[in-house]
Amino acid sequence: MHLYAPKMYSYAPMSRAGVLALEDGSTWWGEGFGDATNAAGEVVFNTSMTGYQEISSDASYNGQMVVLTYPLIGNYGTFERAAESRRPWVEALVVREIETTCREGTIDLDVYLRGHGVPGLAGIDTRALVRRLRSAGTLRGALVQVPSDLALDQDVARRAVETARTTPALATRPLVVEASGVEREVGQGPKVALLDTGVKENQVRCLVQRGATVRVFPATASAGDVLSWSPDGVVLTNGPGDPAATPDVATNVRLLLEAALERGTADPLPILGICLGHQLLARAIGATTSRLRFGHHGGNHPVQDTRTGHVAITSQNHEFQVDEETLDPRSGFIVSSRNLNDRSVEGLAHRILPIRTYQYHPEGAPGPRDNEPVFTAFMDDVRDAVARR
Amino acid sequence: MKVLIIGSGPILIGQAAEFDYAGTQACRALREEGIETVLVNSNPATIMTDPGVADTTYIEPLTVEVIERIIHAERPDGLLATLGGQTGLNLAVALAEAGVLERNGVRILGTPLAAIRQAEDREAFKQLLLDIGEPVPHSVTALSVDDALAFAADNGYPLVVRPAYTLGGTGGGFAASEAELRERVARGIAASPIGQVLVERSLLGWKELEYEVMRDAADTCITVCNMENIDPMGVHTGDSIVVAPSQTLTDKEYQVLRSSALRIIRALRIEGGCNVQFAVDPDRAPSSDPEATMPYYVIEVNPRVSRSSALASKVTGYPIARVAAKIAIGKKLHEIPNAVTKRTTAAFEPALDYVVVKIPRWPFDKFPGADRSLGTQMKATGEVMAIDRTFEGALLKAMRSLEIKGQGLLWEHSGWLDVNDPAEFLARVVAGPATDDRLWRLLAALRRGVPIAHLHAATGVDAWFLRKMAGIVRFAEDELQGRTPTPALLRRAKRMGYSDVDIATLIGILPADVRRLRAQWGIRPVYKMVDTCAAEFEAVTPYFYSTYEQENEALPLPGPKALILGSGPIRIGQGIEFDCCCVQGSEALRARGVAPIMVNSNPETVSTDFDASARLYFDPLDEESIAAIAANEATEESTAAIGANDAGQEPLPIPVLVQFGGQTALNLADRIDAIGGRIAGTSADAIGLAEDRRRFHEFADSLGIPQPPGGTAESLDEAAAIADAVGYPVLVRPSYVLGGRGMEIAYGRDDLERYFHHALDAGTGRVLVDKYLRGREVEIDAVSDGTDTLIAGIMEHIERAGVHSGDSYAVYPAQSLLPAEREEIVALTRRIAEALPVKGLLNVQFIIDDERVWVLEVNPRASRTVPFLTKVTGVPLADLAVAISLGRSLASEGYARDDGLWPATPDLVALKAPVFSMAKLLDVDTYLGPEMKSTGEVMGIDRTFAPALWKSLLASSLAPAPSGSVIVTVADKDKPEAVPIIEGFHWLGYELVATAGTATLVRSLGLPVTEVSKIGEGDGTILSVIRSGRCAAVVNTPTHGRTVDRDGFLIRRAAVEARVPCLTSLDTAVAVVTGLRASSSSYAVAPLTEYRLPSVVAAE
Ligand SMILES: Nc1ncnc2c1ncn2[C@@H]1O[C@H](COP(=O)(O)OP(=O)(O)O)[C@@H](O)[C@H]1O
Ligand SMILES: Nc1ncnc2c1ncn2[C@@H]1O[C@H](COP(=O)(O)OP(=O)(O)O)[C@@H](O)[C@H]1O
Ligand SMILES: [Mg+2]
Ligand SMILES: [Mg+2]
């Protein structure tokens, strides 16, 4: 009795086997999906229960393979509104189970990834994998796909481990430049210059919704390019990789900061830094950054405002943190918020000037929308600056 | 600081064990903070009322008067009202309105009263939502039928009627026409304590979602969990199959609803937890328009800990009630440690790396004739939950956990079997209102190839779930049916969640073969931790679920340990009492240096709290799962200790305690024994001997233990022959059931014939026929080590035999036993305990008839009355049972007595009273009989019988109003016995109202009476009197047997719906008259421990 439409539900035996090998020598066999290519990169995990498309298309993941801890991935398909950039950036997606969608007007995650040449691995004990990453810290890994008759093949696994171990570190790739998009301008209102080091589209949306003209500058744009547009405010956005490994961008950030400091309260230039933007600004004032053991990736991190005591639930995605003890008190900046789980720095604020940075993602996507007021406050600063002129 | 906590009282449909869980957590959370706690609850079968949970515990009726007296005596600073369900909440509102709180300077802690009112009052809530711009369905708040009709005139049908301040949707429902609207609104207004209903646009078929949110006084808000109902709007969430977290919402949609829930909890200024329910357009498209808003409506908010919050706590490991209690005393979320990770705080949102499915458990197996359709009024008595890494796994495990005999995954109703055409199946079986077996209907439809789109259209169930179900069905057909098992196939089947039993059935081998093959091929489940954080942080919680994956996180616990089998979902006949015993058993093990390991599938309970045991396996209670857990806990030493095992069997060296988890656990004894498990305490064979009515009969005969004469019949003629031999009336029941199911009293051959007709319909061949002895029923709970036996107490029922022991008022100590009878009861109990032999708990039911003591039934396990007796006598029954199971003796525990009976405390009388949920089960007849119908119990305790009785009536809502009319309409056979009752009510000042026959009787006594016509005999009928609001009580006894007693049925139902006490047993009626006489004199209100101190009482 077979009266179903064909391919209604796929529980079919593996068509393509895949193995994820880690530099610690462990191998994780599963079933390949998405594009039939191999991949390599750092392996990190994300604990969000929804938002796999937003995660996949977050350019901060350039160079990383992402393990999703929620086991069922793909349930509601993919669609334009959930894309945070022009393409998925993860090197590979690793899941317990890949689902087909039942929502009209959506595209299966499998198809979406395949369309962009991104591979995936399903059917593995992702919880066991995450427990390993948690205790070992972020590891390099390689995903190798083979025909299913080679599943569990020792040689394949050994070679994959080799690849994992020889995968170059993140710093050697121009991750930010790869992730950056083309110059464009959207919205209507005061002029906000956004330095695109891998921006998540929802930041642009949040700014435009609050009445900004957003000019998106590529990461290769110089501080001069930005300032010559005479912006009313500047956004330093998120992006992939180690903040210490992008000297050119760092220089521009420093120049922008200097411009803002110079203009002072008389003619303020508000700056909003998010994630990588926050880290770059911290480095520009002389602080250092370092790697967290396994990063913060998820939508449930509690962050406390050091001044009001208010606690917010935030969306996070970063490997690096600002080292609080290296922050020069004479810089004029204070730590404005901290992560309640590990006390790491979650935000900086200038004592006087409207310069504020956040380690977390106030735009959510995925994750809570509780922190969108960050954009409102920034746009208030921008309008205020315009009014003073 | 001193805090008064109000419990939720008896278990009712819509308000079950989850509030014992919440209250227990709250008491512990407050004591941790050094706060003195005073607890009041009328339900003795709760862990929260156990010694050591609160500082002072009152087991008293939950009325304004009683609480006021407690407040006077205790002088608490604050009142915690949001942990006792709707009962606690409504009582707090009543106390505030009566000025009691203000007069005594008692503050409401946590969520302020104004917020409670604003959330519970349907009109105020609607206004609040409109003010903050949240979408609400178009509606009107109606205080009369006319209000509703006017709204309908403008808006058309169908409409939904939702009463304010009620529980589990009581009194609500859909109206598709004016006639229906009139009826629903009238009923709803009657059900609402403030006479208010909301009449609103029907959103039938919309997706229903719930968010559990928390807020502290500093305005930090978090979402603990969201849950998606598989059954869409129109089926009460308590009756819906629920999955957590939501599966079909995009992140955008998830966040829209999350933000809305947080806006609402902020607007209400709730300090603690609340539950927000939403309806979402099922056909919404994921839009590419950035500004697009998702169509949704806010349906309801519960400003308190609820069934859903208990479920969310078990789903996530986040203890909502505990955190809510701490917030109530002013703690901030980030100041409360996360008990699971120890390193993080309560200010975060749990991340799940598994899927949870909850399935309700309905009482329809008890009420086969009842209307099984599901609507806005909850009908389920309990629920099961299962956790797995896939939806299929969780769903199938939850189905296994339901324990509906014979109703596994592959079950189909006999009426569906010949409907094979998909279109016809859709029309005949699937379409129409939802029913309790809809899941099976859907699976059957998928087997017949009904397209998913059609099923979605007919039921509103999201296509995603249907596709998953189709996958389960197709796997059976394509891969399992008639195949040869291979390691790869078995592994895939287990990963999909198929049970050994289903695999065996489909392949055509025995379940034992599947188990053997799995052992041989190393296909066994691993156990993963519920850690609130998806493994991001190291966690210390001992809360595990089974799944078929790679890594096992539950390595065997070191040292001595024992498994306690829980009692599964709450159902009529197996309620919270058994959970209470399990937790007490667990505490006893711990106290004796043995690590307790709990297995249970019920998310509502204390036993599934992660700190109730050393380790919790949240898994089904069946052979497969217990065997796997026992094998997982096996260590080399423990295995070596029990020596060699049969080939092919995994060693199961862990002792298993089956005597606490009710019939569920007990029924597993012989199977665990058969696969090499170790039953601790009474052996599997002794259990079998007591449980199998035939074996027990022979055994009893051989010991000279009198049992009601009777026999087993395979045909009507045989039955009639037995009945003739022993004399009518006889009690008949199918031999396959152990509980009082399908039990009836036959007064003559007619009744027998009808019964046989019925029984054979139901597919039973054999029927037990016993002489019906209408004597006094007496019950004992004892503990025995096989040599010594201690009876903790003898309870006598108010109602004579024929009313199920669970539905009777039971008095401790027995009030009218002759010394010889008492001695006989002790002697019989000892003889049974020693001969079986019993090593642990034992419950025996007796009938005293004609000065003879007959043994009705022996249950070698904890009974319903163990928590009650433990509380009133102080004999730690569960603890002693554990000691004996571990090899100790009563003598070594200091509890062996020569006379075998624990002496009753002087000046203490306690009654256990049944409580029914009949308002929810619309077409169930409420008369009392040998089949149990009650869902919960309360206790009335005092120094003498009459006030204790009165309190038990008050607490069980059977106390009549102080004045008004009493309707008496009794069957002819009962008329002589009704005389003192009629006189009693008359002399108490009630106006007597009766139907013709009974009125003649009243007049013959020389008493005034208003005669009313029966149903359908014009105006001024009996029903209108019942509904008049002046009716204080109805005394109605059913006519013999089950002759269609339509009038009686309507009378009894009308009484239930008008919330008028309805007495269907004359024994209860006599008690009510006695209680009323005592009501004018005062009753005591005192902590439980004080009643047990005779000296103090005497001094007063
Ligand atoms: N407007 C409506 N249209 C359709 N169904 C509704 C509507 N409002 C409520 N319901 C259904 O009725 C159920 C019970 O209503 P609710 O107000 O939540 O009662 P309770 O207070 O008992 O939880 C809900 O779970 C939902 O399925
Ligand atoms: N022979 C009998 N005579 C009178 N009443 C009986 C007899 N057998 C059973 N009953 C009544 O039926 C009730 C249920 O019977 P029981 O055997 O205890 O079943 P269960 O297993 O449900 O407890 C008893 O509590 C008693 O009131
Ligand atoms: Mg509700
Ligand atoms: Mg019984």
Side-chain angles (χ1 to χ4, degrees), chain B residues 1055-1068:
Chain B
V1056 166
E1057 268 133 55
R1059 294 188 286 173
V1060 173
C1062 179
L1063 313 169
T1064 67
S1065 152
L1066 294 183
D1067 299 323
T1068 326

Side-chain angles (χ1 to χ4, degrees), chain B residues 236-237 277 300 302:
Chain B
H236 195 281
T237 48
Q277 291 166 31
E300 191 201 25
N302 289 305

Side-chain angles (χ1 to χ4, degrees), chain B residues 430-454:
Chain B
V430 182
T435 46
D436 61 310
D437 56 2
R438 177 147 86 179
L439 175 57
W440 285 267
R441 289 175 196 248
L442 290 171
L443 290 166
L446 289 164
R447 276 181 207 117
R448 286 161 181 73
V450 181
I452 284 175
H454 295 184

Side-chain angles (χ1 to χ4, degrees), chain B residues 366 573 663 691 693 707-709 729-731 733 737-741 743 745 769-775 777 779 797 799-808 843 845-847 854-859 861 864 929-932:
Chain B
K366 276 278 182 189
Q663 212 60 41
E691 285 291 297
R693 284 192 192 263
Q707 283 213 287
V730 288
L731 196 112
R733 65 177 117 193
V737 286
L738 294 166
R741 245 214 291 166
M743 243 177 162
I745 298 166
V769 183
D770 285 327
K771 169 131 191 82
Y772 173 44
L773 303 167
R774 201 158 179 254
E777 191 164 343
E779 185 169 355
H797 295 185
E799 290 83 0
R800 273 161 291 186
V803 172
H804 194 276
S805 51
D807 286 353
S808 307
N843 163 271
Q845 291 163 30
F846 303 92
I847 296 182
W854 309 81
V855 172
L856 207 55
E857 187 187 30
V858 172
N859 294 310
R861 56 164 167 83
R864 203 171 293 116
E931 279 203 45
M932 184 165 163

Side-chain angles (χ1 to χ4, degrees), chain A residues 1 4 8 99 101 127, chain B residues 258 446-447 467-468 553:
Chain A
M1 194 168 52
Y4 311 97
M8 187 106 79
E99 307 292 332
T101 169
R127 184 173 162 91
Chain B
R258 179 184 173 283
L446 289 164
R447 276 181 207 117
R467 176 162 20 200
K468 287 286 183 190
E553 295 173 34

Side-chain angles (χ1 to χ4, degrees), chain B residues 126-210:
Chain B
K126 190 174 117 189
Q127 202 49 53
L128 175 88
L129 292 180
L130 292 172
D131 290 348
I132 61 170
E134 287 295 329
V136 284
H138 191 46
S139 67
V140 69
T141 311
L143 298 169
S144 71
V145 173
D146 288 342
D147 294 349
L149 290 177
F151 179 77
D154 294 340
N155 295 280
Y157 296 91
L159 295 168
V160 173
V161 177
R162 299 165 61 206
Y165 283 97
T166 66
L167 161 78
T170 311
F174 286 92
S177 64
E178 182 179 327
E180 278 180 16
L181 188 65
R182 282 178 182 279
E183 198 239 298
R184 291 291 128 82
V185 172
R187 199 176 70 202
I189 286 176
S192 167
I194 61 166
Q196 186 201 71
V197 299
L198 193 71
V199 178
E200 87 184 3
R201 174 190 160 195
S202 167
L203 296 170
L204 195 69
W206 279 46
K207 188 179 274 300
E208 187 162 2
L209 287 128
E210 290 179 87

Side-chain angles (χ1 to χ4, degrees), chain B residues 781-858:
Chain B
D781 283 300
V783 57
S784 174
D785 56 19
T787 310
D788 280 313
T789 301
L790 174 73
I791 297 179
I794 305 180
M795 293 158 283
E796 183 176 4
H797 295 185
I798 298 272
E799 290 83 0
R800 273 161 291 186
V803 172
H804 194 276
S805 51
D807 286 353
S808 307
Y809 280 70
V811 193
Y812 169 86
Q815 300 288 297
S816 64
L817 281 189
L818 302 172
E821 290 167 346
R822 178 177 309 127
E823 275 155 32
E824 178 70 0
I825 285 168
V826 175
L828 286 172
T829 304
R830 285 178 140 174
R831 204 181 311 157
I832 293 168
E834 281 155 34
L836 271 173
V838 171
K839 291 208 156 64
L841 293 169
L842 172 72
N843 163 271
V844 189
Q845 291 163 30
F846 303 92
I847 296 182
I848 303 179
D849 186 47
D850 218 6
E851 287 175 25
R852 276 196 71 181
V853 180
W854 309 81
V855 172
L856 207 55
E857 187 187 30
V858 172

